[in-house]
Amino acid sequence: LPVGPMRSRHRQLPTSQLEIVEESTGLLVRATPPDAGLRSKCVIRPGSYFRLMWDLFSILIVSYEMVTIPVVIAFDVQTSVFLMKLNWFTATFWSVDVCLNFFTGFHKSSTVELRHLQIARRYLKKWFTFDILMLTTDWLSVMATPTEEH
């Protein structure tokens, strides 16, 4: 059914997946049918506004860490309460990011994949190990850092 500028054609496939061709972009979207309940509503489109803002914020945090980590190591800077809170915040942010990656769809050639099992499999194969190693070192660093009380 046409819905404004985002019209799409879809067909039900026998394997309980839904394929939608968005006429505005021409992309094939593979998704869980809407009647699958909460599971189908928890997927984040890779080009969504939320994901864009999350990724931009990730760039800010990476930039902050690229500056502060070498400075703290090179100059043996005492960690203030403020800096410690920022470290806790960044470690928490990256922990949430790992969880979000299990719910963020991806592009595969001219297809947008929004099925949970395929999203999880791809993330586990590609980035999960690296993310967990980085996250573990981040949390170990947060836990081992003494604070300077003021």
Side-chain angles (χ1 to χ4, degrees), residues 12 34 41 59 64 93 95 112 117 121-122 129 134 147:
Q12 186 68 40
K41 293 179 176 98
I59 292 169
Y64 160 77
F93 177 85
S95 298
V112 178
L117 186 58
R121 279 184 183 158
R122 183 170 192 254
T129 304
M134 292 294 103
T147 60

Side-chain angles (χ1 to χ4, degrees), residues 1-148:
L1 296 170
V3 181
M6 276 290 274
R7 295 180 307 192
S8 62
R9 298 183 309 267
H10 60 84
R11 62 187 169 105
Q12 186 68 40
L13 300 174
T15 59
S16 76
Q17 73 183 27
L18 188 66
E19 283 188 350
I20 302 169
V21 176
E22 291 181 345
E23 291 180 6
S24 61
T25 62
L27 290 176
L28 175 66
V29 177
R30 289 197 178 130
T32 305
D35 60 353
L38 182 63
R39 186 175 57 147
S40 67
K41 293 179 176 98
C42 292
V43 176
I44 303 167
R45 287 180 153 267
S48 69
Y49 181 77
F50 171 79
R51 193 62 210 197
L52 174 67
M53 291 297 108
W54 186 267
D55 290 342
L56 288 174
F57 197 66
S58 297
I59 292 169
L60 286 174
I61 291 179
V62 166
S63 300
Y64 160 77
E65 289 182 333
M66 285 175 44
V67 171
T68 58
I69 291 172
V71 168
V72 167
I73 291 171
F75 299 109
D76 196 27
V77 175
Q78 289 291 347
T79 306
S80 66
V81 174
F82 176 73
L83 195 55
M84 187 63 177
K85 286 181 181 180
L86 278 176
N87 291 342
W88 273 85
F89 174 78
T90 59
T92 303
F93 177 85
W94 294 124
S95 298
V96 172
D97 187 61
V98 167
C99 295
L100 278 180
N101 285 325
F102 279 105
F103 295 97
T104 303
F106 61 92
H107 294 276
K108 184 177 180 182
S109 55
S110 63
T111 303
V112 178
E113 184 63 66
L114 298 176
R115 294 176 293 169
H116 283 283
L117 186 58
Q118 282 69 24
I119 293 168
R121 279 184 183 158
R122 183 170 192 254
Y123 181 54
L124 288 169
K125 285 180 185 175
K126 300 241 178 203
W127 284 101
F128 181 74
T129 304
F130 176 78
D131 285 350
I132 289 299
L133 287 172
M134 292 294 103
L135 190 59
T136 302
T137 57
D138 214 10
W139 278 111
L140 288 173
S141 170
V142 166
M143 298 300 181
T145 305
T147 60
E148 179 184 295

